Amino acid sequence: MTKIEKIVLSYSGGLDTSIILKWLQETYGCEVVTFTADLGQGEELEPARAKAEMSGIKDIRIVDLREEFVSDFVFPMLRANALYEGQYLLGSSIARPLIAKHLVGIAQEVGADAIAHGATGKGNDQIRFELAINALDPSLKVIAPWRQWNIRSRTQLLEYAEKHHIPVPSDKRGEAPFSIDANLLHTSTEGKILENPAEVAPDHVYQRTVDPLDAPDAPEIITIGFEGGDPLSLNGTAMTPAALLTELNGLGGRHGIGRLDLVENRFIGMKSRGIYETPGGTILLAAHRGIESITLDRAAAHLKDEIMPRYAELIYNGFWFAPEREMLQALIDQSQAFVSGEVTVRLYKGSASVISRTSPWSLYSADLVTFEESAVAYDHHDAEGFIRLNGLRLKSWAARNGR
Ligand code: ARG
């Protein structure tokens, strides 16, 4: 094994990373610095500090990344209306490059030569962490214990914990827990009964949204203000990106918005089934499309929609810090200059419906589109010629086919 001098570990304080911490200390016998990011996962982070201290860690980093997460990662992605395979809002995918960026920053600051993470060998997250680290500092080594040690199952993991007196949370005993990843954008749940896509997900897998069937009978109407493609206010009150998303998560959760039961294609090659809850993100996507509908030129909007699946796939596959993602981002960002105004959305039993939109930069012309008499210069005869020329080749084609 290559000699490692100092490691920065991506550490949640949960069972897996606590075991990884112990294993790193035993295997490499070097100093470990722990990094715990607050991404709005809704977990207490101080217990992570206490656990790291108990393991003899001297340098413990706990950083609140909520604002950076939403303003520099979630919002740029929202500008693209990004969805992977038509449905997934990329809540886990978009958090990885941010965590990797901070791991690299700390490694450089403390002079560490390696970064360790707790992602397993079958998932997308290992790829996302490592591609980001490669792109940000090619000199750093990566340690992925799940690919290196000979622990092969949850059961063996629990045995290792027992042997090393690492406390096992009560819900992690006996029956294995779901694999959950949560942050301000989403909660993702995988594993156990969900591994059979023919099984209906039981209600207790849902963490932050009510069943739409149990949502309030009265709709709730909200107005979101956009500036240059980014949401900046709710019901007329300006809010920071993280505060706005937090607020929308609460509203969306109450109305059962943003649930998704999906079988997706992992980059590594297998299909997997997961339950996603993205309440605020689902509202924002609908609202962003609403403001774009009146402020974007048709060709600009359609070009965005053409590149969107490619852009989403890059994020899903871990290429956030790749030149092609940055090139697409530049294109998307340029399209957003006039995407400003207000969108009113009705939240009701699982749906977020745009019901009105206004913008000082609107391209919408009532005069042009009206069914009534209008003063705008529009010659109906132009439409006749337009259709005649477009129909020309169809007539040739139909005539040939009828022969
Ligand atoms: N399948 C999702 C993705 O690749 C979520 C992965 C993390 N979620 C989890 N429950 N472990 O983005």
Side-chain angles (χ1 to χ4, degrees):
M1 205 175 326
T2 41
K3 180 96 186 85
I4 302 282
E5 306 291 341
K6 201 189 245 193
I7 303 167
V8 180
L9 168 65
S10 182
Y11 180 73
S12 71
L15 178 62
D16 291 35
T17 49
S18 298
I19 290 171
I20 285 169
L21 176 52
K22 184 84 215 162
W23 182 85
L24 290 173
Q25 289 170 322
E26 278 197 343
T27 308
Y28 295 94
C30 70
E31 189 189 342
V32 178
V33 176
T34 60
F35 169 63
T36 308
D38 183 358
L39 295 172
Q41 56 269 53
E43 254 168 39
E44 279 285 350
L45 297 181
E46 282 313 306
R49 181 190 305 281
K51 285 184 194 169
E53 269 167 4
M54 269 176 16
S55 303
I57 300 303
K58 299 265 150 7
D59 195 345
I60 300 168
R61 310 287 178 110
I62 299 179
V63 189
D64 182 351
L65 299 182
R66 286 175 297 173
E67 291 295 349
E68 184 181 5
F69 177 49
V70 183
S71 69
D72 295 358
F73 292 79
V74 175
F75 281 3
M77 184 170 79
L78 176 70
R79 288 175 212 143
N81 303 317
L83 289 174
Y84 179 65
E85 296 188 337
Q87 301 187 80
Y88 171 36
L89 279 128
L90 296 160
S92 293
S93 328
I94 193 64
R96 305 308 171 218
L98 169 62
I99 296 169
K101 176 187 160 195
H102 283 267
L103 287 166
V104 168
I106 293 168
Q108 289 170 341
E109 183 195 325
V110 303
D113 50 346
I115 287 173
H117 66 75
T120 66
K122 281 189 173 180
N124 293 313
D125 287 331
Q126 53 177 343
I127 307 173
R128 297 169 183 150
F129 281 132
E130 295 177 35
L131 292 183
I133 294 165
N134 291 165
L136 295 175
D137 188 340
S139 74
L140 286 169
K141 297 185 192 76
V142 176
I143 302 171
W146 274 106
R147 299 197 304 251
Q148 289 171 230
W149 62 25
N150 33 33
I151 299 173
R152 280 285 162 267
S153 66
R154 302 296 308 175
T155 313
Q156 288 172 18
L157 193 76
L158 295 177
E159 281 164 16
Y160 186 97
E162 210 109 318
K163 200 172 125 212
H164 291 85
H165 311 290
I166 296 167
V168 177
S170 54
D171 64 317
K172 298 218 170 188
R173 253 176 200 282
E175 215 193 334
F178 286 107
S179 166
I180 293 173
D181 179 53
N183 58 45
L184 262 189
L185 184 55
H186 87 170
T187 297
S188 138
T189 309
E190 295 177 355
K192 287 172 59 174
I193 189 181
L194 300 175
E195 288 182 353
N196 180 355
E199 284 282 353
V200 176
D203 203 52
H204 67 267
V205 310
Y206 294 95
Q207 317 267 319
R208 60 202 280 182
T209 55
V210 302
D211 187 326
L213 293 172
D214 301 326
D217 289 327
E220 194 157 344
I221 312 277
I222 61 169
T223 296
I224 299 172
F226 284 86
E227 198 66 54
D230 293 339
L232 293 186
S233 68
L234 178 62
N235 297 328
T237 308
M239 292 177 123
T240 67
L244 179 66
L245 186 52
T246 303
E247 194 65 27
L248 291 175
N249 281 334
L251 290 165
R254 267 205 297 293
H255 289 277
I257 292 163
R259 286 185 168 195
L260 173 66
D261 180 333
L262 182 72
V263 175
E264 75 202 44
N265 292 290
R266 285 189 190 159
F267 191 24
I268 202 97
M270 67 277 268
K271 291 188 187 294
S272 74
R273 191 269 193 102
I275 299 292
Y276 297 103
E277 295 167 90
T278 318
T282 300
I283 298 171
L284 284 177
L285 176 62
H288 184 254
R289 279 206 171 269
I291 192 65
E292 282 194 333
S293 71
I294 54 169
T295 54
L296 281 190
D297 164 67
R298 177 182 66 183
H302 290 190
L303 179 61
K304 281 191 76 220
D305 278 345
E306 274 175 48
I307 64 155
M308 183 279 276
R310 181 79 198 281
Y311 173 87
E313 186 177 59
L314 288 172
I315 295 175
Y316 187 85
N317 290 352
F319 291 95
W320 178 263
F321 293 113
E324 68 276 28
R325 199 283 304 173
E326 286 169 4
M327 290 163 71
L328 291 179
Q329 191 72 56
L331 182 154
I332 291 155
D333 290 353
Q334 192 185 323
S335 75
Q336 300 292 291
F338 295 96
V339 181
S340 305
E342 293 203 323
V343 180
T344 299
V345 183
R346 187 183 58 211
L347 314 178
Y348 180 65
K349 292 197 183 289
S351 71
S353 319
V354 172
I355 54 173
S356 77
R357 56 309 257 160
T358 61
S359 168
W361 308 107
S362 180
L363 293 166
Y364 188 92
S365 167
D367 276 347
L368 197 52
V369 78
T370 184
F371 288 103
E372 307 300 327
E373 218 35 71
S374 150
V376 173
Y378 178 85
D379 188 339
H380 286 68
H381 297 295
D382 291 347
E384 211 174 303
F386 178 76
I387 297 164
R388 192 180 303 125
L389 292 182
N390 273 285
L392 193 57
R393 68 187 179 87
L394 297 181
K395 286 181 175 172
S396 308
W397 176 74
R400 192 276 318 272
N401 293 352
R403 241 181 6 237

